[in-house]
């Protein structure tokens, strides 16, 4: 009985030695499984968040397009043809993802479509998106439908069309092809078998990455996980998808549209590496356990057999003693007993040797584990330090065993001691993430598991630790977060981060003042066009850095965001004083105005800014940004390089511009525009040498409107190129007709809109007008302002080609801009027109007189002729003639006249034209034959 007890205890001892290791390996593998599962779930959720952010951007782009189109189209059923033409033209410039653009009146009638005439017009009075807009929704994401003509799945998005008073006048909608839509949301780098799916708020599939065409439009509203994830907004779990594949699924709901974006990562692929580790770990653990039991059984046999023999000998001696009543053992029996104990001693030595071999086997298995394994005693002194621990922390086993644990968290020993006390008290610890310091001082992210080590008597004799390096995974998670919330070029927080930051500030306290400044670079397009996008990207990085430096210099809580393109936003929290905000923004603009040095090139730009202050200027993120944008628009329209504060009148002006733009479109379609003509007079003899064609609007209710009432809005409208084309053709046709009548008109001047200066369209428009009207090129003079020229350097080449055809070019309103004559020599100029603001005061303002005198002298030095605008008095005319100005234009000679009145003006010569006494020069006839001025300035034209 004693011998069986010895064998049992020896086997229990071996089992107690091996099992902690096996349990530790098992705990490590199980922890690894849980960790990988949690990482995969987090990854699926992050991927879904990224896709949801992309979806928001896409819906936002469509919304911006709808906002612009809502201002461009008409809600008058009589304008259906014009709407059709406009929408078809716009459709050709949009990607294929846009299937159709439709305008509906309030009764649901189709009054404009980008589809061809062969497609029947649709009605919207029973459509969900239409009803939602009528109910007051600003942006309506409609139902998923299948078109009858193309059999394609289409998603319809609607937006209200309002008049300048904010009243609903119609609805504009865009149909998006879901077949192409889903291609825009495929993520790269996902494991094989991963699936991305987007469903709307009703559970209808909008897009799916795998076998998408067969899934679009499918109703998943009865799917438990879809219902659950739609309700939760964000969720992640392991689910079995409809194709019977178990996937780790992460879902996130977009903000712009209440759609659920789900990313499914297949479990078998995601955990393939860990499954292989589990199999090998199980094999190693089972092998170690079998080997240990075999060794223990062999050793126990060698120990037990001599003891059994000893037991038998003792029994025999006891029996002999009883039978022979002998009181002492014989000498031989004593010798046999000594031999037996000698054999027992030798057996114990062999058992120790084999136990040592077993320990070596266990050490080899521990060292082969990829997880760092560390064991410490009750005094926290290390008793085991694996090779993986050496690799992870940089300390060797010789440096650590017998010493207190050296791997300390950055904040001190408190956290580590707390974990130790928990394990010492018998608690098993798992899934604790922490930072630990390596030997070289660097930090490593680890996941910690710990378990108490028990003595055979049941008391705790130490703690076994498992440390897994998760630095790479943490870095990948941080990278995903950065991609979702930071601009990859500048490293600044992006639009999504701006949205969240502003939402947090505005929702925390509705009365808390928060200011934002929206910055835009002046002239950034020219940098991209002339120096390339690489220089442009470096410039944007530098701009972001300067704005950050400006905020850091103040030491306040301002945050800098990149909104997109060359637009940046600065949040100034807890600041509602316009003066303080103005000082901050002005300092930032001065910093942006300093020269940029990029690749040994000095770039002189500048910036403009618009400021909005909550809660007075808006209590929502969208309102605040939109109002700052209106203020920015005012700053740039005033010449840029400054800032403007939002005022309610800007919103009213914006609504008025939108209403005026719609009315201008109607006016153009109904031929309400007319041309008036103002004569250009040669100062030497008073002859009419040319005329400037000026636009007028014959409004059906307000009568004739001068350009100041509408020309700025028209110049910004998308119909400006069409109106400009009509002006060129009408002016050329009228001038050609007058010349054919023999009337004295050397040239006709036409003002160009800035939009006409893009590309080769201007060349074609001029060539067509000259060819169709028969007007020679030298009889046409194009007029642009010098500020327009500064912003449209790409127009130099087409203007140069027109100059080669004989067409002349004049700079209008000269002297009011920022350009120098030396800069403007890059354009093929023939004439400058001095602005009326200088001419008005030349006879009683010495400064203005000096400016005009200098402008005339500089122009002559460059071989350019000069015409003065706004001449209203004889004294002004006399001053200009004395300063050698060739021509004049103004009310002194004639106001702008309709075509019939101007024709009469040409036929009768001149209106009441009085002589001006200016020494040897007279304007009521030819100058004296010997006049040096007459010889120096020959007659222009015939």
């Amino acid at each position: 009985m004693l011998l069986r007890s010895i064998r049992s205890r020896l086997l229990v001892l071996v089992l107690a030695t091996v099992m902690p290791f096996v349990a530790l390996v098992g705990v490590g593998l199980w922890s690894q499984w849980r960790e990988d599962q949690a990482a995969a779930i987090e990854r699926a959720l992050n991927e879904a968040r990224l896709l949801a952010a992309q979806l928001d951007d896409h819906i936002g782009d469509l919304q911006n397009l709808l906002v612009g189109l809502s201002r461009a189209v008409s809600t008058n059923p009589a304008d259906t043809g014009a709407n059709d033409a406009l929408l078809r033209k716009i459709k050709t410039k949009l990607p294929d993802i846009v299937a159709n653009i439709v305008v509906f009146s309030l009764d649901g009638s189709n009054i404009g479509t980008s589809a061809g005439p062969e497609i029947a017009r649709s009605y919207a009075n029973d459509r969900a998106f239409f009803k939602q807009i009528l109910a007051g929704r600003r942006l309506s994401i409609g139902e998923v439908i299948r078109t009858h003509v193309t059999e394609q799945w289409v998603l319809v998005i609607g937006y209200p069309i309002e008049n300048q008073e904010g009243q609903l006048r119609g609805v504009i909608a865009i149909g998006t092809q879901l077949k192409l839509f889903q291609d825009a949301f495929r993520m790269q780098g996902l494991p094989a078998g991963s699936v991305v799916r987007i469903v709307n708020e009703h559970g209808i599939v909008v897009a799916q990455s795998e076998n998408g065409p067969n899934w679009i439009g499918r109703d998943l509203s009865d799917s438990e996980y879809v219902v659950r994830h739609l309700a939760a907004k964000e969720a992640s779990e392991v689910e079995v998808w409809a194709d019977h594949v178990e996937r780790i699924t992460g879902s996130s709901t977009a903000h712009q549209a209440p759609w659920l974006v789900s990313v499914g990562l297949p479990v078998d692929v995601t955990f393939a590496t860990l499954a292989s580790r589990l199999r090998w770990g199980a094999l190693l653990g089972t092998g170690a356990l079998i080997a240990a039991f075999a060794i223990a059984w062999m050793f126990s046999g060698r120990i037990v057999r001599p003891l059994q023999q000893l037991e038998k000998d003792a029994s025999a001696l006891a029996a002999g003693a009883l039978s022979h009543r002998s009181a002492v053992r014989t000498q031989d029996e004593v010798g046999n007993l000594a031999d037996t104990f000698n054999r027992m001693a030798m057996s114990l030595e062999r058992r120790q040797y084999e136990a040592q071999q077993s320990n070596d086997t266990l050490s080899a298995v521990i060292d082969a584990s990829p997880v760092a394994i560390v064991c410490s005693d009750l005094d926290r002194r290390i008793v085991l330090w694996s090779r993986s621990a050496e690799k992870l922390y940089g300390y060797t086993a010789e440096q650590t065993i017998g010493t207190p644990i050296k791997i300390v968290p950055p904040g001190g020993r408190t956290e580590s001691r707390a974990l130790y006390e928990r394990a010492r008290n018998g608690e098993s610890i798992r899934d604790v993430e922490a930072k630990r310091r390596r030997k070289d001082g660097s930090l490593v992210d680890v996941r910690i598991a710990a378990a108490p080590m028990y003595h055979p008597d049941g008391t705790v004799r130490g703690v076994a630790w498992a440390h897994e390096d998760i630095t790479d995974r943490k870095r990948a998670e941080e990278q995903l977060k950065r991609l979702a919330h930071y601009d990859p070029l500048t490293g600044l927080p992006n639009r999504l981060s701006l949205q969240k930051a502003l939402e947090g500030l505005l929702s925390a306290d509705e009365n808390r003042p928060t200011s934002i400044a929206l910055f835009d670079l002046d002239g950034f397009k020219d940098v991209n066009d002339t120096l390339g996008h690489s220089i442009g990207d470096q410039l944007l990085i530098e701009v972001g850095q300067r704005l950050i430096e400006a905020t850091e210099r103040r030491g306040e809580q301002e945050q800098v965001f990149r909104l997109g393109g060359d637009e940046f936003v600065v949040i100034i929290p807890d600041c509602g004083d316009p003066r303080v905000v103005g000082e901050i923004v002005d300092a930032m603009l001065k910093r942006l105005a300093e020269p940029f040095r990029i690749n040994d090139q000095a770039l002189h730009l500048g910036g403009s800014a618009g400021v909005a202050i909550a809660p007075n200027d808006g209590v929502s993120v969208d309102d605040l940004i939109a109002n700052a944008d209106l203020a920015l628009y005012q700053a740039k329209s005033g010449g840029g390089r400054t800032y403007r504060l939002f005022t309610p009148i800007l919103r009213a002006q914006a609504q008025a511009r939108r209403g005026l733009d719609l009315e201008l479109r109607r006016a153009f379609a109904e031929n309400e525009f007319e041309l008036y003509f103002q004569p250009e007079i040669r100062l030497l003899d008073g002859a009419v040498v040319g005329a400037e064609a000026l636009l007028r609007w014959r409004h059906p209710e307000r009568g004739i409107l001068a350009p100041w009432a509408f020309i700025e809005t028209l110049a910004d409208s998308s119909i400006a190129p069409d109106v400009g084309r009509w002006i060129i053709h009408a002016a050329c046709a009228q001038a050609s007709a007058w010349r054919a009548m023999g009337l004295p008109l050397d040239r006709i001047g036409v003002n160009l809109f800035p939009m006409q200066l893009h590309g080769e369209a201007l060349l074609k428009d001029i060539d067509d007008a000259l060819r169709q009207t028969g007007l020679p090129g030298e009889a046409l003079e194009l007029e642009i302002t010098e500020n327009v020229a500064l912003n449209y350097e790409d127009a130099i080449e087409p203007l140069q080609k027109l100059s080669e055809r004989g067409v002349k070019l004049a700079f209008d309103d000269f002297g009011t801009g920022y350009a120098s004559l030396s800069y403007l020599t890059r354009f093929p100029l023939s004439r400058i027109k001095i602005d009326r603001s200088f001419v008005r005061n030349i006879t009683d303002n010495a400064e203005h007189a000096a400016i005009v005198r200098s402008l005339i002298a500089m122009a002559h030095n460059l071989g350019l002729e000069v015409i003065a605008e706004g001449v209203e008095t004889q004294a002004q005319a006399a001053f200009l003639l004395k300063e050698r100005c060739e021509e004049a234009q103004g009310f002194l000679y004639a106001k702008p006249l309709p075509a019939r009145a101007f024709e009469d003006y040409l036929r009768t010569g001149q209106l009441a034209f009085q002589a001006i006494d200016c020494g040897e020069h007279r304007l009521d006839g030819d100058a004296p034959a010997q006049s040096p001025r007459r010889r120096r300035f020959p007659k222009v034209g015939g």
Side-chain angles (χ1 to χ4, degrees):
M1 191 69 182
L2 175 62
L3 300 178
R4 285 196 301 270
S5 176
I6 292 174
R7 170 171 276 179
S8 299
R9 290 187 178 184
L10 186 58
L11 291 176
V12 169
L13 180 61
V14 173
L15 185 63
T17 304
V18 175
M19 285 307 294
F21 164 72
V22 175
L24 190 60
V25 173
V27 168
L29 291 174
W30 174 250
S31 298
Q32 180 69 31
W33 175 274
R34 294 293 301 276
E35 272 306 315
D36 284 3
Q37 184 184 47
I41 289 175
E42 183 67 18
R43 180 185 180 186
L45 185 57
N46 284 334
E47 299 283 8
R49 288 168 177 163
L50 286 174
L51 285 173
Q54 290 184 20
L55 178 59
D56 282 334
D57 288 342
H58 184 72
I59 297 296
D61 291 340
L62 291 177
Q63 182 178 2
N64 292 336
L65 176 60
L66 285 171
V67 171
L69 291 175
S70 69
R71 301 170 181 172
V73 298
S74 170
T75 55
N76 189 342
D79 296 333
T80 299
N83 283 343
D84 289 349
L86 174 65
L87 295 179
R88 288 168 190 166
K89 182 178 180 181
I90 292 174
K91 172 65 173 63
T92 60
K93 300 178 181 180
L94 297 177
D96 293 337
I97 191 172
V98 177
N100 194 13
I101 311 172
V102 187
V103 180
F104 298 100
S105 62
L106 292 181
D107 63 356
S109 300
N110 185 324
I111 57 174
T113 177
S114 64
E118 69 279 2
I119 305 299
R121 293 185 181 273
S122 58
Y123 292 87
N125 48 9
D126 60 342
R127 300 286 294 278
F129 77 88
F130 186 78
K131 294 178 180 178
Q132 290 173 356
I133 295 296
L134 294 184
R137 182 174 297 184
R138 297 296 300 171
L139 181 70
S140 173
I141 310 297
E143 66 273 25
V144 177
I145 62 172
R146 197 164 195 166
T147 61
H148 298 295
V149 179
T150 62
E151 293 297 321
Q152 297 290 332
W153 285 101
V154 174
L155 172 75
V156 181
I157 301 175
Y159 191 82
I161 303 174
E162 300 173 341
N163 60 16
Q164 62 187 38
E165 288 81 23
Q167 297 174 331
L168 183 65
R169 305 295 296 170
V171 177
I172 186 166
I174 283 182
T176 299
Q177 292 189 40
L178 294 183
K179 179 181 178 181
L180 300 173
F181 177 83
Q182 71 173 12
D183 294 338
F185 295 98
R186 289 182 177 172
M187 291 291 290
Q188 302 293 327
L190 294 180
S194 300
V195 178
V196 176
R197 176 185 293 161
I198 303 176
V199 300
N200 65 11
E201 67 273 28
H202 305 299
I204 305 300
V205 177
V206 176
Q208 180 160 311
S209 60
E210 295 297 328
N211 200 19
N214 295 330
W215 277 93
I216 295 177
R218 188 173 296 187
D219 188 353
L220 298 182
S221 58
D222 58 349
S223 171
E224 284 188 21
Y225 101 84
V226 170
V227 174
R228 188 164 55 252
H229 287 207
L230 277 172
K233 304 298 184 183
E234 272 197 359
S236 56
E237 55 186 318
V238 180
E239 292 290 341
V240 178
W241 284 47
D243 56 359
H244 307 294
V245 176
E246 189 177 37
R247 291 184 174 90
I248 296 174
T249 304
S251 300
S252 181
T253 304
H255 295 285
Q256 294 278 10
W259 293 353
L260 187 72
V261 180
S262 298
V263 176
L265 309 178
V267 172
D268 56 346
V269 177
T270 305
F271 296 132
T273 303
L274 183 58
S276 177
R277 290 183 186 175
L278 284 173
R279 287 193 295 270
W280 281 105
L283 289 174
L284 287 174
T286 303
L289 190 60
I290 293 173
F293 271 112
I295 294 170
W297 186 266
M298 180 181 65
F299 283 167
S300 64
R302 294 181 179 182
I303 295 173
V304 168
R305 279 193 293 271
L307 291 177
Q308 286 177 333
Q309 183 63 41
L310 179 60
E311 185 179 20
K312 291 178 182 179
D313 293 342
S315 298
L317 289 174
L322 290 173
S323 61
H324 297 94
R325 301 182 183 272
S326 177
V328 295
R329 298 176 181 226
T330 62
Q331 185 66 34
D332 292 338
E333 289 173 341
V334 173
N336 290 336
L337 184 60
D339 291 340
T340 298
F341 278 104
N342 285 334
R343 287 195 302 270
M344 288 177 61
M346 294 176 63
S347 176
L348 288 173
E349 290 178 0
R350 284 195 299 271
R351 185 179 67 82
Q352 292 175 353
Y353 171 75
E354 291 173 356
Q356 182 62 42
Q357 286 185 323
S358 178
N359 287 335
D360 292 341
T361 302
L362 291 176
S363 297
V365 173
I366 291 174
D367 288 338
S369 172
V371 177
I373 297 176
V374 180
C375 296
S376 59
D377 59 18
L378 294 179
D379 294 327
R380 301 192 68 201
R381 294 183 178 275
I382 297 173
V383 297
L384 187 147
W385 186 264
S386 70
R387 292 191 183 277
S388 294
E390 292 183 3
K391 182 178 179 181
L392 179 61
Y393 293 112
Y395 295 100
T396 64
E398 290 77 8
Q399 294 173 320
T400 56
I401 291 179
T403 65
I405 294 179
K406 296 183 177 181
I407 46 174
V408 182
R413 298 179 178 272
T414 304
E415 175 199 351
S416 180
R417 187 178 297 277
L419 291 176
Y420 174 79
E421 292 298 331
R422 289 169 55 189
R424 181 178 179 180
N425 292 331
E427 180 182 352
S428 293
I429 300 171
R430 292 186 299 177
D431 301 338
V432 175
E433 293 187 5
K435 288 186 179 295
R436 292 292 182 264
R437 196 178 301 280
R438 293 187 173 101
K439 181 180 179 181
D440 61 6
S442 62
L443 297 179
V444 59
D445 290 293
V446 295
R447 185 182 298 277
I448 299 174
M453 295 192 303
Y454 290 97
H455 194 271
D457 61 5
T459 60
V460 176
R461 61 183 181 88
V463 178
W465 304 83
H467 290 195
E468 178 193 3
D469 186 357
I470 58 172
T471 305
D472 291 340
R473 184 179 66 78
K474 297 288 286 186
R475 188 180 297 116
E477 290 176 356
E478 291 299 322
Q479 182 65 19
L480 283 174
K481 291 179 182 178
R482 287 197 64 82
L483 288 175
H485 295 88
Y486 289 85
D487 173 47
L489 175 63
T490 62
L492 295 174
N494 61 10
R495 181 190 296 268
L496 181 60
S497 296
L498 172 66
Q499 185 91 10
K500 292 183 178 180
L502 275 179
E503 284 178 352
L505 289 172
L506 297 178
S507 62
D509 183 356
E510 61 181 12
N511 296 318
R512 178 184 182 184
T514 300
S515 301
I516 69 167
L518 176 58
F519 289 84
D520 181 272
L521 295 182
D522 299 330
F524 176 71
K525 180 179 181 298
D526 292 337
V527 174
N528 272 344
D529 293 344
T530 58
L531 302 178
H533 289 274
S534 176
I535 298 295
D537 288 346
Q538 295 181 57
L539 177 62
L540 292 175
I541 295 172
E542 178 65 22
V543 168
Q545 189 59 40
R546 288 191 180 187
L547 291 176
I548 291 175
E549 291 172 358
T551 60
E552 291 177 345
R553 189 177 298 117
R554 282 176 38 81
E556 300 293 339
Q557 299 295 320
E558 291 95 342
Q559 294 177 274
V560 182
F561 302 81
R562 185 189 177 196
L563 195 61
D566 60 336
E567 291 186 331
F568 296 80
V569 173
V570 176
I571 296 180
I572 310 171
D574 299 319
C575 184
D577 189 337
R579 292 173 298 177
V580 176
V581 176
E583 292 174 358
I584 296 172
V585 174
D586 189 56
M588 293 180 177
L589 288 176
K590 289 179 180 178
R591 183 73 177 96
L592 294 180
E594 297 175 7
F596 292 86
R597 175 69 62 176
I598 298 176
N599 290 357
D600 297 328
Q601 297 191 59
L603 303 179
H604 298 269
L605 282 86
S608 305
V611 177
I613 304 174
N616 292 336
D617 298 341
V619 294
S620 70
V621 174
D622 292 339
D623 288 345
L624 205 59
I625 295 177
N627 291 338
D629 192 40
L630 288 175
L632 173 63
Y633 175 84
Q634 187 190 42
K636 292 187 76 69
S637 63
R641 296 175 180 266
T642 186
Y643 74 92
R644 290 290 184 269
L645 295 168
F646 172 79
T647 58
I649 194 173
L650 295 181
R651 174 64 61 190
Q653 290 173 347
Q655 293 174 345
R657 281 196 303 270
R658 183 173 63 180
L660 179 58
D661 182 68
L662 292 175
E663 197 170 1
L664 286 170
R665 295 174 186 279
R666 180 201 55 76
F668 182 56
E670 297 181 4
N671 300 317
E672 294 178 2
F673 290 138
E674 296 181 9
L675 288 184
Y676 275 41
F677 301 89
Q678 187 174 32
E680 296 173 337
I681 306 299
R682 186 168 52 225
L683 286 173
L684 281 174
D685 55 10
V688 178
V689 292
E692 181 180 3
L694 301 168
L695 187 65
R696 295 292 187 270
W697 180 7
R698 188 175 294 277
H699 195 279
E701 298 175 357
R702 300 164 60 190
I704 294 293
L705 298 181
W708 61 264
F710 64 88
I711 200 68
E712 181 179 349
T713 301
L714 179 58
D716 292 334
S717 175
S718 60
I719 65 170
D722 296 329
V723 177
R725 188 179 302 109
W726 173 83
I727 292 174
I728 292 172
H729 191 277
C732 290
Q734 188 64 73
S736 180
W738 285 332
R739 289 165 63 94
M741 298 176 188
L743 298 177
L745 188 68
D746 292 341
R747 67 174 186 267
I748 187 74
V750 176
N751 292 277
L752 295 178
F753 291 114
M755 285 189 183
Q756 292 180 269
L757 299 177
H758 288 296
E760 299 293 323
L762 181 62
L763 279 174
K764 184 178 184 304
D765 293 343
I766 298 295
D767 287 343
D768 290 346
L770 296 178
R771 184 182 67 257
Q772 294 171 12
T773 62
L775 186 72
E778 58 270 14
L780 176 62
E781 183 172 77
L782 304 177
E783 299 183 11
I784 60 175
T785 65
E786 56 176 312
N787 285 336
V788 169
L790 286 170
N791 294 318
Y792 292 88
E793 288 194 47
D794 55 347
I796 294 178
E797 183 177 354
L799 291 175
Q800 186 65 49
K801 291 180 180 178
L802 289 174
S803 177
E804 294 169 359
R805 292 168 168 78
V807 178
K808 298 179 176 60
L809 177 67
F811 274 115
D812 200 5
D813 301 333
F814 191 77
T816 60
Y818 302 100
S820 64
L821 276 174
S822 60
Y823 174 83
L824 298 177
T825 54
R826 300 168 60 183
F827 289 83
L829 281 179
S830 59
R831 189 185 328 276
I832 66 169
K833 304 184 74 172
I834 299 177
D835 185 67
R836 68 184 68 245
S837 61
F838 298 110
V839 175
R840 183 183 303 116
N841 300 316
I842 55 175
T843 57
D844 53 14
N845 186 306
E847 182 179 351
H848 281 198
I851 292 174
V852 171
R853 190 178 294 114
S854 299
L855 291 176
I856 295 172
M858 285 191 297
H860 288 164
N861 289 335
L862 293 172
L864 302 177
E865 296 180 351
V866 182
I867 180 172
E869 297 181 296
V871 178
E872 298 182 357
T873 67
Q874 295 175 349
Q876 292 169 350
F879 175 90
L880 293 168
L881 180 60
K882 182 179 180 181
E883 297 300 328
R884 300 163 53 201
C885 177
E886 290 90 347
E887 300 174 3
Q889 176 182 349
F891 286 1
L892 177 63
Y893 311 109
K895 294 180 179 181
L897 303 170
R900 180 62 62 86
F902 188 78
E903 181 178 326
D904 294 340
Y905 179 83
L906 291 176
R907 289 184 184 278
T908 58
Q910 57 187 28
L911 297 177
F913 192 81
Q914 301 176 1
I916 299 178
D917 185 6
C918 52
E920 60 177 344
H921 307 293
R922 295 181 60 82
L923 298 181
D924 56 347
D926 289 339
Q930 300 302 317
S931 171
R933 295 184 186 275
R934 175 67 178 262
R935 291 194 297 271
R936 184 171 299 175
F937 305 123
K939 183 178 179 181
V940 178

